[in-house]
Amino acid sequence: MAENKTIRLSIKRQENPESSPYWEDFEVPYRENMNVISALMEIQRNPVNAKGDKTTPVTWDMSCLEEVCGACSMVINGTARQSCTALIDQYEQPIKLEPMSTFPIVKDLQIDRSFMFDSLKRVQAWVPIDGTYDLGPGPRMPEKKRQTAYELSKCMTCGVCLEVCPNVNDRSKFIGAAPISQVRLFNLHPTGSMNKHERLEALMGVGGVSECGMAQNCVKACPQGIPLTTSIAAMQRETTFHAFKSFFGSDHQVD
Amino acid sequence: MSKQDSSFLIRRIHSLLGVIPLGVFLVQHLVVNHFATRGEEAFNQAAGFMGNLPFVIFLEIFVIYIPILFHGIYGIYIAFTAQYRYGFPNTYRNINFVLQRVTGVLSFIFIAIHVYQTRVQVFMGVDLDFDLVADIVENPWWLVFYIVGILATVYHFANGLWTFMITWGITQSDKSQRIMGYVSLIVFVIVSVIGIQAILAFI
Ligand code: HEM
Ligand code: SF4
Ligand code: FES
């Protein structure tokens, strides 16, 4: 291969949360099997733009580098995905990098995903087992249920499903697919289901499941292939039942 | 952030009203108007029967006007809280998402004008008969407006049936949602044919 082959990148940058964004072009030396992160690291090492001017290094988020943490999500050539597994060879150049626009921008490609984490807290996306004594082993789970739960547990809170959703934006409070699917996960769990009603009630609150508009972009975009639209429909059913049970009364509010 | 508000209940009511009574009324309305294809006399008789139902004013208020204002106004609010800037605009469901909102707003405009041209005129003393509609669609622009309005409203209803089935959690699996997609397409075609045949019968 030619030694002086380069990669052209066009990056949407922003100094801080208040300042306005601008585009800056970069050219970095090509190596085989590079991904977007290694190209960004090259810019960090030598922060010079395509015009040859010295500039500030580009900021982004990352952690695992193997598509399990979700931190490195950004919009690459118009598609939201993880940058650590985005191979340079598969993209048309110049490769356009933008931060995910649903979330507040911290700096450059780094975003603040607190909105999603706060929603997960609101819907209690966990199994509460903390106590002062050993509760012993939990109940067994049917294999079929385990398989379904396993698929749902793959969520890495990357935020891509929120990014592609037309109903997650500044004008609406809709929490998006990931937290709704997590309610399904923890309500499937034999111990988690003891607090089922609390999670369902949270889903019936502001920005909850009823605000889904069924554009179904989330399920197409999710890098983990989680059946998000089935999760949402399942939670629509559960919240419908829960509403009837709460109003008319029932002995089966929790199980 | 408050934990509870009424949006869940309002959304469920909005969804229910879209089918019962509005969807049922829409189909009924187009079927009655289809009498026009059997001639002026048949239409006048059918319209006369509907117009002279006992308590017709209460039926209209509670079965049509209140539900449509509720569904329509809240629907416009929903439509304008979406943002279409980005995503996968070319997927089938995303296109339907956008069309559901566009046709909702179109229906609102169409229905408002249609009610003014017919119901309000009847209220002011004009006779409710074949000529009332025939005089409107004599103008080709109004005819086009009516055809677009009917298609938009029927599309909105048919695709709304598909979303209704998810809103209430009936269709969960991909397979059931796909089959419901075909059902909603068939509903769109059949009800559109009825509606278009009906309006064309007035020219
Ligand atoms: C008057 C103007 C109207 C507007 C602005 C409007 C707007 C909307 C919108 C935005 C939705 C999507 C709701 C969601 O996904 O959460 C919707 C749903 C629906 N609309 Fe309308 N609509 C109107 C009139 C009608 C009429 C006349 C009908 C009946 C023929 C109708 C039937 C439906 C149905 C069945 C749904 C699906 C409900 C669901 O998602 O569960 N709408 N409407
Ligand atoms: S559901 Fe999928 S797209 Fe959404 S946050 Fe989880 S992994 Fe990302
Ligand atoms: S760095 Fe963890 S998913 Fe990319």
Side-chain angles (χ1 to χ4, degrees):
Chain A
M1 295 296 275
E3 287 81 56
N4 45 14
K5 219 173 128 181
T6 59
I7 302 162
R8 283 175 301 132
L9 297 159
S10 196
I11 303 176
K12 193 173 180 185
R13 306 197 54 182
Q14 187 169 326
E15 213 30 62
N16 57 55
E18 281 77 41
S19 65
S20 42
Y22 62 96
W23 288 89
E24 193 163 35
D25 292 342
F26 292 90
E27 260 179 53
V28 301
Y30 177 89
R31 277 178 284 120
E32 246 176 84
N33 302 325
M34 270 177 103
N35 60 27
V36 167
I37 298 254
S38 56
L40 284 170
M41 284 170 160
E42 208 56 57
I43 296 173
Q44 201 173 39
R45 186 164 20 240
N46 179 26
V48 172
N49 66 24
K51 288 186 227 140
D53 298 335
K54 201 153 172 53
T55 179
T56 50
V58 177
T59 310
W60 76 95
D61 233 341
M62 62 174 175
S63 177
C64 71
L65 297 179
E66 52 180 357
E67 204 174 284
V68 291
C69 76
C72 67
S73 309
M74 60 181 73
V75 180
I76 304 171
N77 279 359
T79 304
R81 59 161 296 164
Q82 283 64 56
S83 52
C84 66
T85 49
L87 299 176
I88 295 290
D89 290 339
Q90 291 168 358
Y91 284 94
E92 214 172 284
Q93 293 187 24
I95 301 174
K96 269 172 61 186
L97 305 181
E98 296 165 72
M100 291 204 293
S101 54
T102 296
F103 300 97
I105 289 161
V106 178
K107 189 179 178 190
D108 295 336
L109 301 170
Q110 190 185 6
I111 50 165
D112 176 3
R113 290 176 295 155
S114 309
F115 172 68
M116 183 173 45
F117 301 129
D118 290 343
S119 302
L120 288 166
K121 287 182 211 157
R122 238 181 83 202
V123 301
Q124 304 185 39
W126 56 76
V127 175
I129 48 163
D130 287 350
T132 51
Y133 62 95
D134 185 357
L135 295 169
R140 282 173 60 88
M141 201 168 174
E143 172 58 15
K144 204 141 193 270
K145 219 179 200 183
R146 187 201 61 78
Q147 283 173 6
T148 309
Y150 180 69
E151 291 306 315
L152 305 178
S153 73
K154 286 182 185 167
C155 175
M156 54 184 174
T157 55
C158 67
V160 166
C161 55
L162 273 65
E163 170 71 6
V164 297
C165 177
N167 274 0
V168 176
N169 60 56
D170 293 343
R171 277 173 267 157
S172 103
K173 296 196 169 76
F174 183 49
I175 58 176
I180 297 173
S181 189
Q182 289 300 295
V183 171
R184 181 171 176 223
L185 169 64
F186 289 102
N187 282 3
L188 277 175
H189 190 279
T191 312
S193 71
M194 292 177 186
N195 308 70
K196 200 174 163 178
H197 59 294
E198 290 172 28
R199 293 191 198 91
L200 293 177
E201 274 155 24
L203 274 194
M204 291 159 72
V206 177
V209 67
S210 66
E211 292 181 32
C212 166
M214 291 156 252
Q216 302 204 335
N217 291 341
C218 54
V219 76
K220 293 240 156 51
C222 175
Q224 300 287 15
I226 297 171
L228 293 168
T229 46
T230 302
S231 286
I232 292 172
M235 291 304 100
Q236 295 277 31
R237 186 188 291 179
E238 290 296 306
T239 48
T240 302
F241 282 144
H242 187 71
F244 278 104
K245 285 173 182 173
S246 321
F247 181 75
F248 291 105
S250 164
D251 288 344
H252 302 284
Q253 284 208 25
V254 176
D255 58 24
Chain B
M1 205 185 298
S2 70
K3 261 190 78 184
Q4 282 281 313
D5 77 342
S6 49
S7 77
F8 179 80
L9 190 63
I10 294 178
R11 293 268 178 164
R12 287 290 193 269
I13 292 173
H14 176 263
S15 168
L16 183 66
L17 291 181
V19 179
I20 304 166
L22 296 179
V24 175
F25 172 78
L26 174 71
V27 175
Q28 177 271 126
H29 184 61
L30 295 178
V31 167
V32 168
N33 293 347
H34 200 261
F35 272 109
T37 59
R38 300 187 189 168
E40 204 171 322
E41 209 30 56
F43 174 79
N44 284 344
Q45 220 174 352
F49 174 75
M50 296 310 292
N52 289 315
L53 285 175
F55 317 115
V56 69
I57 186 73
F58 293 104
L59 286 177
E60 283 183 347
I61 290 175
F62 289 106
V63 179
I64 311 170
Y65 297 134
I66 292 178
I68 215 164
L69 282 175
F70 183 94
H71 181 97
I73 293 169
Y74 197 69
I76 288 172
Y77 162 76
I78 294 172
F80 285 95
T81 50
Q83 202 170 4
Y84 311 102
R85 68 194 142 79
Y86 178 83
F88 293 72
N90 291 326
T91 64
Y92 183 66
R93 290 280 45 124
N94 201 36
I95 292 168
N96 281 284
F97 172 88
V98 176
L99 282 179
Q100 182 70 6
R101 278 139 187 83
V102 172
T103 56
V105 175
L106 272 179
S107 313
F108 195 83
I109 297 166
F110 169 64
I111 293 166
I113 293 175
H114 174 57
V115 168
Y116 175 77
Q117 286 178 325
T118 55
R119 209 65 216 140
V120 173
Q121 300 307 316
V122 171
F123 185 71
M124 313 248 267
V126 179
D127 280 338
L128 179 117
D129 61 10
F130 189 90
D131 292 335
L132 177 69
V133 182
D135 289 346
I136 297 169
V137 295
E138 212 177 30
N139 179 333
W141 291 109
W142 278 122
L143 180 63
V144 170
F145 180 76
Y146 265 69
I147 290 174
V148 172
I150 291 168
L151 287 177
T153 311
V154 173
Y155 168 87
H156 184 87
F157 166 63
N159 190 55
L161 286 180
W162 184 83
T163 60
F164 176 89
M165 295 294 273
I166 297 178
T167 299
W168 292 87
I170 298 167
T171 47
Q172 291 190 9
S173 64
D174 282 344
K175 191 175 172 192
S176 64
Q177 292 184 6
R178 203 169 50 244
I179 291 175
M180 189 57 210
Y182 296 130
V183 172
S184 115
L185 205 65
I186 293 169
V187 169
F188 172 68
V189 172
I190 294 176
V191 181
S192 293
V193 169
I194 296 175
I196 300 297
Q197 280 184 343
I199 193 68
L200 291 181
F202 287 93
I203 45 176

